[in-house]
Structure formats: structure tokens, C-alpha cells
Amino acid sequence: MVVGIVAEYNPFHNGHKLQIDYAKSVLGAKQVLVAMSGSFTQRGEIACFDKYTRAKAALVNGVDIVFEIPTIFATSSAREFSSAGVQLLACTGVVDTLLFSAECDDKDLFIESAQKLVDLEKSGQLDSEINYYISNGLSYATARAKALKAFLPEEIISSPNNILGVEYCRYIISNNLKMNIEIMKRQGNGYNDLSLSGELSSASSIREHYKLSHSFDAVPEAALDIYSNETFMYDNDVSPMLHYKLLTTDSFASYLDCSSDLSDRIKNNIKDFVNYKQFCEKLKTKNIEYSRISRVLCHILLGITSDDFKQAKENGYINYLRMLGFSKNGSSLLAAIKENNNVPLLTSPKADLVSEFDIISSNIYQAILTSKTGTGFPNEYTRKFTLNNINNSNKQA
């Protein structure tokens, strides 16, 4: 069995380690492959550590190969993030089982809900319900959430992890992928809970705790050793670059997820910009949630337009497998991946294959990191691929 996981590891923590343990010791996985976001996350925020550091933390804790989800989807909605992640794992040609963690671990309920979602979309019934709420002034995300409540069990749509799980299953079903699903019941505090809850705490709470104490709790020792030598990135570290981009742009309506109303709202409030988080809060309204604004500002910073996204999606989500690292145990799969995958396998970027946004996001991350540390870092084209000497074959984590 080869298990695939879609993740952000922002940062990798004890809950993630528990999931890798579950894959190998309970499910009996020989290898665990991960599709991971790169320099920016699904909420539109800069990742707390660079993608190579986060990949290495995962590899020393039992993951066998880490691939990067293309930036244009890694910073998109939960639906598109999950679709791209699953498609990436399917493109390896070796992943036979998708594992995710959720508050509900009723596999049948997830599959039934996902099938219901597929049927609703085919019939147009879901779109009709969504359009009704939009006509009453709600944003698309809020309208879709309300529409889902009318059709799916409350137990399923009660948390972000459950919703992601349904989206994983929906994509598998709608694309007839030969991929089983397994669910590990989530433990510890909630996805958005900012307070630490012991050894199993959310990534959000771990990041917030670090901002106050400059120390990590609830992360594996092997990951802590890696983090201690790297630079932590704060949400507001993007503020100067973002502020400049906002000041030098006439209209924002063409950027992904940005409506004309939100574009006007951004333009009218630029004079009050202090930093990224403050500006997100200022732009937030009853019908425009913080996470959407955060993603829009990220898309403006990276230059991702709605047309760019449409084209990338029409091209099938995944056009290459960008590998960020592999263990000795994972190396045994490389030949099979090269034989069975239907897109190129890359260990370093190639200008004619890799999305410009993957390069742009990495360059922006590197520039901010250099500004913070006063130290230069290799760019995407010169960075050497050095993570393949990790030996985790005898670990269960």
C-alpha cells in the first residue's frame, strides 16, 4: 500500500506525526507520499518556514516523498486546493490510498456525501441554490456554505477538515480515480483554535504560541531540531511588498477571487494600510470573510489573475511533479513513478515546464527572507536537491 496525504505542514507537528504513524503502523503503508503547499498557504498567508524546511521536517518524521502543489492552487479555495492535491497524488501513478484526518471518521458518510455533492452539481441544483444566496448579497463562499447545509449532514459540514475531506472524496468520485480513502479521527484542538491544547495542538495555535514566546510546543523533537536553525516567517512580513503592489496597481478586479466591489474597497482603503493583517481586518465585512480577503491579497502580490487560474484548471491542474525531497525508503518508488506517471517528474525547476507563479512565489519568499536575515539564499534554479539522504525506513513516524 502507498498512502497519499494532502497537507501544508505549516508547521509539521505532533498531529501530523500521529497521522504518519497511523498510515504505516495501522494501515500498513510501505511508503507515504505527500502533496504539500509551497511558499504560500491555502489561506493566502506566507508559510512559517520555507518549503524545503517543511519538507525536511516531514521526511525525518516518516514521510517518504514530498511534492509541491502548484502555487496557483495551493493558494486557492478549499475545493481547488483539495482537487489539485488529489490530482497530484493520482499523477504519481503509485498512490492507491488517500488518507486524511477529520472530526468525523465515518467513511461511508463521507462517500455518500461526496456522491450527493457530485449529483447536485451535475443536476445544477447546487448552483441554483448558491445563486439564490448570492442574489441576496452573500459572497460565493458564504452562499456555497449555506447551500451545502441544505443538502449535506451537519456532521459533515461542521468543520474545515470535514469539508476538505468531502472535497477529496468528491474529486475522486467525479474523476473515477482508482484511489481508496482512509480517515483518521482528528485529535486535539480545532483547526482554527489559537490556544495550545497540549501535545496535540493545531498548526494555528502553534504558530500563535511561537509569535508570543519564540518557542515551539507540540512538535516532534526531530522537527524542532530543524526549525531551530531556520527563520520563522510572520504573516506581516509580506506587508512592504504587498503595500507597494497595492499602491502601483490601478484595479484589482482581474485578480483571482476579487470582485469589482472588493477591488473598489481595496482602492478606497489603501490610504489606511498599516500591515497585511490589519488591512485584512479593515476590508472584512459581513459578507466578505477574512480568509477570502487574505487569498485575494496573496493573489495580487503574486500576480495571479482569474484568467491564469482558469487556464491552469483547464490544463488539468497538474502538469508536472515538483519533488521537494525524498527519503531512502521513498527512493525505491522513484522508478515506478517515472514509469507510471503521466507528467514529468522534476527535482529542480525547468523554465519551460514549471508555472511562473511557483517561481515568483519562491522568489518573493527568498527576497523577504533575505531582508529579514541579511543573508543571501540560492534561488529556485540554483538550489541543490539535498534531501534524499534521509533514512526513515525503520521508523514508524
Side-chain angles (χ1 to χ4, degrees):
M1 174 189 291
V2 178
V3 166
I5 295 172
V6 182
E8 294 196 304
Y9 295 156
N10 190 41
F12 188 96
H13 55 63
N14 288 339
H16 298 133
K17 182 177 181 294
L18 190 65
Q19 188 183 52
I20 305 305
D21 280 347
Y22 183 87
K24 292 194 170 182
S25 63
V26 177
L27 299 181
K30 291 183 177 180
Q31 288 97 0
V32 174
L33 276 57
V34 170
M36 187 187 79
S37 55
S39 300
F40 290 82
T41 67
Q42 195 264 323
R43 282 176 58 88
E45 298 168 344
I46 193 167
C48 65
F49 290 113
D50 72 80
K51 59 190 178 185
Y52 301 101
T53 296
R54 287 159 40 237
K56 188 172 183 179
L59 292 168
V60 299
N61 281 285
V63 171
D64 295 298
I65 306 179
V66 180
F67 296 100
E68 181 181 2
I69 300 173
T71 299
I72 201 166
F73 299 115
T75 60
S76 192
S77 66
R79 177 185 176 86
E80 303 301 347
F81 171 83
S82 60
S83 297
V86 173
Q87 181 60 33
L88 188 156
L89 295 172
C91 281
T92 66
V94 297
V95 172
D96 53 57
T97 301
L98 177 75
L99 171 64
F100 60 89
S101 297
E103 281 72 16
C104 172
D105 61 351
D106 187 333
K107 188 190 305 186
D108 291 338
L109 187 59
F110 270 97
I111 293 174
E112 290 168 7
S113 298
Q115 184 62 64
K116 177 72 171 177
L117 192 53
V118 170
D119 294 341
L120 288 168
E121 289 174 339
K122 285 182 178 178
S123 69
Q125 194 174 357
L126 184 63
D127 284 342
S128 177
E129 194 78 7
I130 290 172
N131 290 334
Y132 168 77
Y133 288 118
I134 290 176
S135 68
N136 282 276
L138 297 184
S139 68
Y140 177 83
T142 304
R144 191 169 194 273
K146 287 184 70 69
L148 290 179
K149 287 184 179 181
F151 300 111
L152 301 185
E154 177 65 27
E155 186 178 4
I156 285 290
I157 60 173
S158 61
S159 78
N161 290 304
N162 288 352
I163 292 172
L164 267 178
V166 170
E167 293 292 359
Y168 295 144
C169 297
R170 175 200 60 80
Y171 191 81
I172 289 171
I173 291 171
S174 62
N175 290 277
N176 297 312
L177 300 181
K178 295 179 180 180
M179 193 178 293
N180 300 317
I181 70 160
E182 293 289 347
I183 307 170
M184 189 187 84
K185 192 171 181 64
R186 195 177 189 279
Q187 302 177 44
N189 58 357
Y191 178 85
N192 292 316
D193 193 335
L194 298 183
S195 59
L196 289 174
S197 62
E199 287 300 302
L200 293 176
S201 297
S202 69
S204 298
S205 66
I206 293 169
R207 292 195 303 272
E208 289 303 311
H209 177 73
Y210 182 88
K211 292 172 187 177
L212 297 173
S213 65
H214 296 287
S215 65
F216 282 107
D217 283 324
V219 301
E221 185 176 346
L224 186 60
D225 290 342
I226 293 170
Y227 299 154
S228 63
N229 295 315
E230 302 295 336
T231 301
F232 185 94
M233 298 286 253
Y234 295 89
D235 303 335
N236 282 335
D237 285 337
V238 304
S239 300
M241 275 196 179
L242 174 63
H243 194 193
Y244 176 78
K245 187 67 179 283
L246 295 176
L247 288 171
T248 55
T249 304
D250 293 328
S251 173
F252 307 99
S254 64
Y255 289 101
L256 180 58
D257 293 330
C258 191
S259 64
S260 57
D261 288 344
L262 181 53
S263 174
D264 291 340
R265 187 168 177 79
I266 293 172
K267 198 71 176 176
N268 293 335
N269 285 279
I270 290 176
K271 64 185 183 302
D272 298 317
F273 183 99
V274 176
N275 58 53
Y276 154 79
K277 294 200 73 172
Q278 166 268 342
F279 201 54
C280 285
E281 290 289 351
K282 186 169 186 62
L283 296 177
K284 187 174 67 174
T285 69
K286 182 177 70 173
N287 294 325
I288 309 177
E289 60 278 359
Y290 183 103
S291 59
R292 179 188 169 197
I293 294 168
S294 177
R295 282 196 294 273
V296 166
L297 294 181
C298 176
H299 297 149
I300 293 171
L301 176 64
L302 301 180
I304 299 174
T305 68
S306 297
D307 286 344
D308 293 325
F309 175 82
K310 181 181 178 182
Q311 185 63 56
K313 188 173 177 179
E314 288 177 352
N315 288 341
Y317 286 102
I318 304 299
N319 300 117
Y320 52 86
L321 296 173
R322 172 73 168 99
M323 190 158 51
L324 298 178
F326 61 90
S327 69
K328 288 183 178 180
N329 188 44
S331 66
S332 63
L333 268 182
L334 296 182
I337 292 174
K338 290 177 181 178
E339 181 180 347
N340 294 297
N341 69 334
N342 53 14
V343 293
L345 175 65
L346 309 178
T347 58
S348 61
K350 289 181 173 58
D352 59 335
L353 291 177
V354 172
S355 164
E356 63 179 300
F357 303 113
D358 289 357
I359 302 300
I360 289 170
S361 63
S362 295
N363 288 344
I364 288 176
Y365 199 101
Q366 176 198 0
I368 295 173
L369 195 57
T370 295
S371 178
K372 279 176 70 81
T373 63
T375 302
F377 295 88
N379 63 33
E380 282 290 273
Y381 291 107
T382 60
R383 182 157 187 156
K384 294 182 178 179
F385 189 72
T386 58
L387 298 180
N388 62 331
N389 60 347
I390 294 171
N391 186 357
N392 61 23
S393 59
N394 294 322
K395 293 185 178 183
Q396 293 299 316

